[in-house]
Amino acid sequence: MSLSFDPAAVVMPQAHFIGGERVAAADGITLHRPSDGAAFAGCPVADADVVDRAVGAARRALATSGWSRARPRERVDALHRWADLIAAEAVTLARLEAVASTRPVAELIRFDIPITVEQIRFFAEFADKEGGDLAPTAADSVGMIATEPYGVIGAITPWNFPISMAAWKLGPALAAGNAVVLKPSEMTPFATLFMAELSVRAGLPAGLINVVLGDGRTTGAAITGHPDIAKVSFTGSTGAGAAIMENVARTGIKPMTLELGGKSPQLVFADADLALAAGAIARSILANAGQACVAGSRLVVEASVADELIGLIATHMAAIRPGPTWDEATGYAPIISARQLGRMESIVGATLAQGAQCRLGGKRLDRPGFFYAPTLIDGVDATSPAVAEEIFGPVLTVQTFREEEEALALAEHPTYGLCAGLYTRDLSRALRLSGRLQAGTVWVNRYGRSRDHILPTGGYKQSGLGKDLGREAYLANRKSKSVLIAI
Ligand code: NAD
């Protein structure tokens, strides 16, 4: 069966989802399809009252359903049933996502949705396995380190991988016994809403997942500042992360997990398998047209192999298959919005105006929608806007080095420390440098997440606070309590 479809035939659920029901809302923000620029829907904007209703529904669900108090295996089973339903409804989910977002339908069906299903199952299994601890106290007492859910988690997600990002928040929060009020990005809210509806069909208590649509300033701020939101779990830009910290500090203190921006280096040494490195580097900057927090957007290569490596990367970049996200053959994504495309052009323009050279691309693709050509820029340094700023697009800068220390110095970014790639056949160097690179994840002779969901992801420096995925993400959704019993 072909995965291609007619985007005009997909009806977007323009509503909030509160207490297990759709709550109709007026169109707020006009949305344009990234693939062709056509206006296709409006995103309602929940105000503080709507957010308050959602938080109330979440609290009631926790109080009445026994979600956090029942036998933990019941949570495991319920989450597996939800994962089953997400898999069964993959086509509907993929269509809702492909119209609004930059994710091509074939990639959604082959990667985003199966991985999401896997990750929900991964987190579900912690519920009846991960417990507290008995502490070594004096013999006249028993000390327990118990863990318990926070209550209602406020989750906020970005537009770049909407389904996956929702699962990263919902999976561990629910497995750990919490309820959630989730605000997806105002640009891509519809698939997340449908996912939440599926949870109720799968038998999860109504009100356990509430989805409120809206922007950051109104809806997002109402969530992070709500007194009954016990914890904030956010993925998005470093700027928005800072605004959330400020709002939380102003309205009351609560824990938060922040997964923020990146500007990750790819270090290639002359002894590396250059064909392997070129493939991994090209995929990392072409995947979702570079709109990934982990995009390896700064190539730092040993001077003696720079030309050969750049030639190999350019060959990959020339082989892209741009097209609308609803066409099965599409392999290269559009940019999310005209605004983001304009921002990219201005950063590239400012970099070239400072004397950098564009080796490839550097312009929009001549086709409908918001497409930007894969771009290679060299002649840059740490002050070049394309090196300093997270572009969030298919732009790779090139810097060269002669010595290992120089490579490390170039890899360092003053603001970001999300990931780093390292390509070498020298095992000692791989171990030495992976210890010294200031990044939350280092990939050696590969780049990008695997399906080993046990590996946590999160940033150093201003790339974030806390981790998603892994055991750490599950534990981050429970708070610990010390109990000391005299005997
Ligand atoms: P963004 O920060 O503009 O928005 C993210 C979400 O936050 C949206 O839902 C938005 O409405 C909301 N928001 C914005 N301001 C807010 C505020 N003051 N209070 C509450 N909510 C607010 O980011 P984006 O453009 O949607 O996504 C791209 C960014 O996300 C990039 O910086 C990227 O690196 C980052 N990202 C990080 C990870 C990670 O795991 N570290 C993963 C994906 C994306």
Side-chain angles (χ1 to χ4, degrees):
M1 189 190 91
S2 167
L3 296 175
S4 300
F5 65 96
D6 172 10
V10 182
V11 180
M12 300 293 155
Q14 282 164 264
H16 310 293
F17 186 67
I18 297 176
E21 285 170 7
R22 279 192 194 182
V23 177
D27 294 359
I29 305 160
T30 303
L31 300 179
H32 298 264
R33 303 193 296 225
S35 295
D36 62 3
F40 74 101
C43 175
V45 177
D47 61 14
D49 288 342
V50 174
V51 169
D52 188 54
R53 273 174 69 185
V55 175
R59 279 166 59 89
R60 272 192 304 284
L62 285 179
T64 58
S65 72
W67 181 252
S68 56
R69 294 184 310 276
R71 210 161 48 87
R73 192 71 208 169
E74 290 181 21
R75 289 208 298 277
V76 181
D77 292 342
L79 289 169
H80 278 301
R81 285 198 304 275
W82 183 37
D84 291 342
L85 210 47
I86 291 172
E89 294 283 0
V91 169
T92 307
L93 202 51
R95 289 181 176 183
L96 286 168
E97 187 84 306
V99 175
S101 81
T102 60
R103 304 295 303 131
V105 64
E107 291 185 23
L108 284 160
I109 293 287
R110 287 189 201 120
F111 304 114
D112 300 39
I113 296 174
I115 291 173
T116 287
V117 167
E118 235 173 63
Q119 289 174 340
I120 290 172
R121 296 193 195 288
F122 168 82
F123 281 116
E125 289 296 337
F126 279 99
D128 67 347
K129 296 176 187 67
E130 189 69 50
D133 227 340
L134 269 188
T137 56
D140 63 353
S141 60
V142 173
M144 294 191 296
I145 304 165
T147 73
E148 53 194 31
Y150 279 97
V152 184
I153 306 271
I156 298 177
T157 51
W159 52 262
N160 60 337
F161 294 94
I163 291 175
S164 316
M165 295 297 106
W168 284 17
K169 304 300 183 197
L170 293 170
L174 298 177
N178 301 283
V180 180
V181 173
L182 169 63
K183 189 197 85 62
S185 166
E186 56 273 41
M187 289 188 268
T188 55
F190 306 113
T192 305
L193 199 98
F194 183 62
M195 258 172 94
E197 292 183 341
L198 291 180
S199 75
V200 176
R201 265 171 57 192
L204 271 71
L208 204 63
I209 305 177
N210 304 277
V211 177
V212 287
L213 273 50
D215 62 8
R217 204 175 330 149
T218 308
T219 316
I223 293 174
T224 59
H226 195 292
D228 291 331
I229 292 284
K231 185 190 165 170
V232 171
S233 183
F234 172 75
T235 297
S237 60
T238 295
I244 288 171
M245 284 186 112
E246 215 176 306
N247 193 39
V248 166
R250 213 166 35 75
T251 52
I253 288 177
K254 59 186 70 161
M256 48 186 124
T257 299
L258 303 175
E259 299 297 342
L260 308 177
K263 189 72 194 175
S264 301
Q266 305 250 25
L267 264 69
V268 184
F269 286 84
D271 69 350
D273 178 335
L274 293 187
L276 178 148
I281 293 164
R283 272 193 302 281
S284 112
I285 200 72
L286 295 176
N288 209 27
Q291 298 163 110
C293 54
V294 298
S297 53
R298 293 188 295 125
L299 173 60
V300 177
V301 54
E302 193 159 347
S304 59
V305 294
D307 283 338
E308 185 183 351
L309 183 70
I310 290 169
L312 291 168
I313 294 171
T315 305
H316 286 283
M317 286 183 157
I320 50 160
R321 283 175 290 113
T325 45
W326 44 83
D327 183 337
E328 182 174 5
T330 294
Y332 183 70
I335 303 303
I336 187 69
S337 65
R339 187 163 158 261
Q340 173 64 9
L341 195 58
R343 183 179 167 271
M344 199 175 304
E345 285 180 321
S346 87
I347 295 176
V348 170
T351 304
L352 299 180
Q354 286 184 2
Q357 292 88 44
C358 196
R359 300 268 290 243
L360 198 74
K363 57 181 189 307
R364 295 178 185 217
L365 291 183
D366 184 17
R367 52 176 307 123
F370 314 132
F371 286 86
Y372 197 78
T375 298
L376 257 168
I377 301 178
D378 66 5
V380 292
D381 62 27
T383 65
S384 306
V387 175
E389 289 185 43
E390 183 185 40
I391 297 179
F392 226 54
V395 180
L396 181 67
T397 58
V398 185
Q399 291 168 278
T400 58
F401 68 87
R402 289 179 199 283
E403 303 291 338
E404 195 174 291
E405 287 303 318
E406 191 188 357
L408 273 175
L410 289 173
E412 194 76 13
H413 191 284
T415 311
Y416 298 114
L418 193 57
C419 314
L422 175 59
Y423 303 85
T424 176
R425 286 193 170 97
D426 180 338
L427 180 59
S428 301
R429 173 153 54 206
L431 289 170
R432 192 166 60 236
L433 295 195
S434 57
R436 292 184 63 194
L437 282 162
Q438 292 306 301
T441 296
V442 177
W443 286 301
V444 180
N445 295 326
R446 58 163 292 127
Y447 199 89
R449 290 191 187 94
S450 66
R451 287 169 87 148
D452 304 300
H453 311 307
I454 191 68
L455 292 171
T457 179
Y460 281 15
K461 302 183 185 172
Q462 294 183 43
S463 285
L465 203 64
K467 300 283 184 181
D468 272 343
L469 297 181
R471 173 176 283 108
E472 287 183 52
Y474 176 80
L475 293 176
N477 282 278
R478 290 180 74 86
K479 53 189 174 184
S480 89
K481 176 183 279 178
S482 297
V483 180
L484 189 62
I485 305 169
I487 48 178

